[in-house]
Amino acid sequence: MKRFPALFFLSLALVFCLFSCTRNDLKIETYQTEKQPVVSNESMTQQMMSPQGGMPEQVSAPASQEPSAYGWDIPKGWGSEPGSSMRLVSFKADGHTGSIIVLEGEAGGLVANVNRWREQVGLPAQDEAAVLKAARKGKSALGEFRWFEIVNDSSPGQSMLVAVVPADGKTLFVKLMAPKAALQKNQEKFLSLCRSLRRA
Amino acid sequence: MIPLPEKAKKYVLFLAKTEIFTFAVFWLMCLTVAGTLAQRSMGLFRAQELFFSSFIYWVGYIPLPGGYTTMGVIFIGLLIKLLFDSTLKNGKLGIWITHVGALLLLLGGFLTAAFSQEGAMVIPPNQTVNFVNDYHKLELAVTDTSPADHDQVTAFGAGWLKPGSVMKAPVLPFEIEVVRYFKNVRFDRRNGMIAAAPDLRGFAANFELRGAPEAKEAEQNQAGALLRIRGAGAGKDGTYALFEEMPVRQTLEANGKTYALDLRRARTILPFKLHLIQFEKKMHPGTGMAKSYKSVVTLQDGGISQRALIQMNEPLRHRGYTFYQSSFIEHPAGDTTVLAVVKNAGRTFPYISSIIMCIGLLVHLMIQAPKLIRNRQGE
C-alpha cells in the first residue's frame, strides 16, 4: 500500500499511453484484395500528350455530387456529360467531343500549350510573338480569355478550337476537336460556351 | 466509499478537488465556445482537431490543456470522488447515480475518441466492395498486381507521410523515402524547354508538384507526395509523384513483379462485403435536388448472402458497423451509391448514461421531496 500513489499515477500514465497508441498512424498492413485494373505509366505518358492540358483522355472519374466552382451554359443542340474533379464537363457538338478542364496555375504556360496542340495537328511550333498574334480574345464573367483555331490545312480532319481562360490562379481550357468544317459550323456556339463561363 | 491509506489520500483526493473540477468544466466551456467560433474560419475538422481532439492546445508558445486533457481531468476527478470520497448516507443515492451516469457519458466519449471509425463506402453499380475509405486519414498503398487472382497490398499509415520517412516491408523489394509531402497540392506541367532531372519517373517527369494553400474544409485538400524509390533496379529507382485521386496509377517493376503506388484515403478492410443491386433516387420535380434515395444491396458474410435496403433514416447495421445512405455519384453508366460507415464502441453510452442520470435526478427528487414538503409546512 506504500506504493499506492506511484501505482495510481503509473496507471493513469499507462491509460494515456494506450490512448495515444490507438491514434498512432505508424502502422503497416499487408493484405490481399480482389484485382483492380492498372493503367501503366507508359500509357499514361501517351495520355498526357492529349490536348486536354495534361490529363488523360480515356480515364474519367464519375461526376461527384460536389458542386463545381464554375458554371457554364451548354449551347442548345449540344449534349453534355458530367466530368471529374479536373474535367469539369464533357460535351458533344454534332458528335464531336469537347471538354472543359481546370488545372492549377498556368498549366505549363500559354506558348508551350499552344505549341503542343499545334504539334498534335502537325503544325510547327511558334515563338511567343506569333502565338500571341494568332490569339483572338473574348470575355466571360471570369475575365478576358484567349481562343485559338488550330487548323492544319493539309490535314483538316483533326482540327481544334481551344480557349484558355485564366481565373483564380487556375486555368480553364475549353477544347473542341473536330474536322475543320464542323469547327467552323460550331464556332459561334463554342464561343458562346466560353463567354458563359462564370463562378458558380 | 472505498477506504484509502493515509499516505495515498492526499495525492489521490487532490485530483478530486472541487476547485479543479469547476475550473476544468469552465475551461471545457471556453474550449467549446472557441472551437465553435473557430470552425467558421478554419473549418470543422481542423477546429475539432485543434480544440477537442488534442491533449495540448498551443496559443503561440503557451501550452493550454486541450479537450482530451480537460475531459480526462473531469473524468478522473469524478471517478475518485465517487470511489474514495462519497457516501450513500444522508439521501445521497440520487446524486451518486447521477455521477455514475456522467462518468459513463465521459467513458463513452473516450471509447468513441479512441476506437471509433468513420468513413465512406463507395459502391458502383453491380460491384462488390469490402472496404471503407476514411474521411480524413491517408495511407500510401503499394500493390503487387502480379498474382493472377488477387492483389497483394502493403499499406503504410499516415504517420509515415512526412519528409525523411523511409518505408520498408519484408514483402517489398524496394524502400520508399518521402522526399516532400504536401497537405494540398497543385501541379504544373514541366516546361519542355527545361530538361527534367533524369531520375524523375512517370507523372513526375512531366509535371511538377507544388504546395497549395490549404482549403478551409480539410476534405477539399488534395494531398500529394514526392517519393524516392531505392532498390527496384536501374531505370526504376527514382523519384515518383503521387497525389490523391490520381486518374492513372503510378507503377514500377521490380524483381519481375509490377507494383502500383497509390496515395489514398486510409482503407479499413471489412470482414464482409456489400454488393450494390440497385440505386434509386427521386428528385424534387423541376429541380436537380434529391428528394430521397435508397440502395438495395446484398450483404455477403461468409457463405451467407442477405438482401438489405438502405435509405435515409434506415441504416443497415452489421457486426458493429452502421451503413447510412449518405450520397450518390451520377454517371451515365449508372449511379454509384455512397454510404457513410460508422463503427463506434461508445454508440450506446449517451443513451444509457442519459437514462441513468435521469433516474439519478428522479431518485434525488423523491428522496428530497418529503424534506422540502416538511420544510414548507414548517414555514
Side-chain angles (χ1 to χ4, degrees):
Chain A
M1 279 307 237
K2 279 182 183 176
R3 289 183 182 168
F4 185 88
L7 282 173
F8 182 77
F9 287 109
L10 198 67
S11 312
L12 287 183
L14 203 65
V15 170
F16 179 87
C17 289
L18 278 172
F19 181 66
S20 301
C21 287
T22 63
R23 298 175 58 81
N24 185 353
D25 291 332
L26 279 172
K27 60 181 179 185
I28 302 173
E29 284 181 321
T30 303
Y31 55 87
Q32 290 182 3
T33 62
E34 290 172 12
K35 287 202 81 63
Q36 289 179 17
V38 173
V39 183
S40 71
N41 293 346
E42 285 69 31
S43 61
M44 183 180 182
T45 309
Q46 295 296 316
Q47 289 167 353
M48 282 194 300
M49 299 317 290
S50 70
Q52 265 72 19
M55 296 323 295
E57 182 102 48
Q58 293 89 334
V59 180
S60 172
S64 131
Q65 270 294 93
E66 295 290 321
S68 164
Y70 301 101
W72 54 85
D73 297 325
I74 297 292
K76 210 173 174 184
W78 286 14
S80 70
E81 285 179 6
S84 65
S85 56
M86 285 168 230
R87 180 179 297 204
L88 300 177
V89 67
S90 297
F91 54 84
K92 286 266 185 189
D94 294 344
H96 304 289
T97 307
S99 60
I100 303 177
I101 300 276
V102 60
L103 289 174
E104 292 290 340
E106 293 182 1
L110 182 72
V111 178
N113 277 311
V114 171
N115 281 331
R116 190 162 46 80
W117 296 322
R118 288 178 63 83
E119 190 185 334
Q120 282 165 8
V121 299
L123 291 170
Q126 291 182 324
D127 61 16
E128 187 176 358
V131 168
L132 293 176
K133 194 178 169 189
R136 282 177 270 182
K137 289 184 178 175
K139 201 163 185 183
S140 74
L142 297 177
E144 200 171 71
F145 63 85
R146 289 190 172 95
W147 66 278
F148 301 85
E149 186 179 12
I150 300 175
V151 177
N152 183 350
D153 284 323
S154 59
S155 170
Q158 274 298 336
S159 305
M160 62 179 87
L161 282 171
V162 191
V164 182
V165 190
D168 311 323
K170 300 175 182 176
T171 307
L172 282 77
F173 296 91
V174 188
K175 198 185 116 281
L176 174 61
M177 282 190 84
K180 184 180 175 182
L183 285 187
Q184 286 173 342
K185 185 185 161 198
N186 285 286
Q187 183 172 303
E188 198 42 52
K189 286 183 176 178
F190 176 84
L191 288 174
S192 77
L193 170 63
C194 298
R195 289 188 206 109
S196 73
L197 281 168
R198 59 192 177 269
R199 286 176 191 85
Chain B
M1 187 172 87
I2 300 170
L4 270 174
E6 267 318 301
K7 234 180 172 182
K9 215 171 191 174
K10 67 174 181 180
Y11 294 105
V12 176
L13 292 186
F14 172 78
L15 293 169
K17 276 187 153 222
T18 313
E19 292 88 336
I20 293 178
F21 178 83
T22 309
F23 278 116
V25 170
F26 177 72
W27 181 245
L28 193 61
M29 287 162 65
C30 293
L31 282 177
T32 307
V33 172
T36 308
L37 294 175
Q39 69 167 324
R40 266 183 74 86
S41 57
M42 65 170 62
L44 180 63
F45 179 69
R46 282 169 65 196
Q48 196 178 318
E49 288 288 299
L50 185 67
F51 291 97
F52 307 115
S53 304
S54 61
F55 289 103
I56 296 170
Y57 160 52
W58 291 91
V59 179
Y61 293 103
I62 305 167
L64 296 172
Y68 285 157
T69 310
T70 312
M71 283 184 273
V73 167
I74 293 172
F75 179 81
I76 290 165
L78 274 177
L79 185 67
I80 291 172
K81 191 84 179 166
L82 195 74
L83 294 179
F84 305 120
D85 196 26
S86 66
T87 173
L88 293 177
K89 289 176 187 169
N90 303 325
K92 295 284 177 65
L93 178 66
I95 292 175
W96 195 88
I97 293 172
T98 308
H99 275 79
V100 170
L103 272 173
L104 279 177
L105 189 66
L106 287 164
L107 183 67
F110 167 78
L111 292 174
T112 300
F115 303 110
S116 72
Q117 291 173 10
E118 272 188 342
M121 180 181 260
V122 181
I123 320 177
N126 293 316
Q127 300 279 314
T128 306
V129 173
N130 72 331
F131 60 84
V132 178
N133 291 319
D134 196 281
Y135 284 134
H136 303 291
K137 286 182 191 168
L138 297 174
E139 68 180 16
L140 173 71
V142 184
T143 308
D144 175 5
T145 61
S146 305
D149 57 340
H150 69 272
D151 285 343
Q152 180 73 35
V153 180
T154 306
F156 297 89
W160 293 96
L161 296 171
K162 55 189 177 190
S165 279
V166 178
M167 292 169 262
K168 298 176 193 173
V171 291
L172 298 178
F174 50 82
E175 63 178 31
I176 307 164
E177 181 189 351
V178 180
V179 180
R180 296 194 71 183
Y181 176 71
F182 308 97
K183 282 189 175 172
N184 195 17
V185 78
R186 50 177 278 186
F187 49 88
D188 293 326
R189 178 180 286 280
R190 290 185 191 280
N191 193 327
M193 289 161 216
I194 301 168
D199 76 329
L200 295 174
R201 307 274 174 241
F203 185 85
N206 296 284
F207 288 84
E208 185 179 4
L209 289 194
R210 291 181 186 170
E214 279 186 56
K216 185 177 138 189
E217 294 299 338
E219 307 88 67
Q220 290 169 3
N221 287 326
Q222 189 175 26
L226 277 179
L227 307 173
R228 186 171 295 130
I229 305 282
R230 285 190 291 262
K236 303 297 176 190
D237 283 354
T239 304
Y240 292 75
L242 294 183
F243 59 89
E244 280 184 87
E245 294 175 26
M246 215 164 180
V248 178
R249 297 169 94 183
Q250 298 292 279
T251 58
L252 75 150
E253 285 180 15
N255 283 2
K257 293 179 176 177
T258 304
Y259 295 89
L261 307 171
D262 296 293
L263 182 63
R264 66 188 189 192
R265 301 282 155 154
R267 286 185 182 179
T268 302
I269 306 296
L270 304 178
F272 54 90
K273 299 173 184 176
L274 289 186
H275 175 84
L276 179 63
I277 301 170
Q278 194 182 7
F279 175 79
E280 285 177 32
K281 64 175 184 287
K282 284 183 185 166
M283 311 301 277
H284 285 287
T287 71
M289 289 178 66
K291 186 180 176 187
S292 68
Y293 34 102
K294 59 185 176 186
S295 302
V296 182
V297 297
T298 309
L299 170 66
Q300 300 169 357
D301 191 348
I304 299 165
S305 189
Q306 183 188 337
R307 198 181 166 98
L309 173 70
I310 304 171
Q311 58 185 339
M312 281 191 258
N313 301 323
E314 282 185 39
L316 166 69
R317 297 185 202 278
H318 186 67
R319 288 211 198 197
Y321 290 92
T322 309
F323 298 81
Y324 300 91
Q325 182 68 61
S326 145
S327 184
F328 62 94
I329 299 168
E330 282 184 320
H331 196 271
D335 292 342
T336 292
T337 189
V338 180
L339 306 174
V341 187
V342 179
K343 186 178 187 185
N344 184 0
R347 185 171 63 89
T348 52
F349 277 69
Y351 307 110
I352 295 168
S353 56
S354 299
I355 292 168
I356 291 174
M357 281 193 281
C358 286
I359 293 170
L361 290 172
L362 201 64
V363 169
H364 187 64
L365 186 72
M366 286 167 70
I367 292 171
Q368 296 299 323
K371 275 189 204 170
L372 288 169
I373 292 166
R374 275 200 302 274
N375 289 347
R376 180 65 60 86
Q377 284 170 346
E379 281 170 11

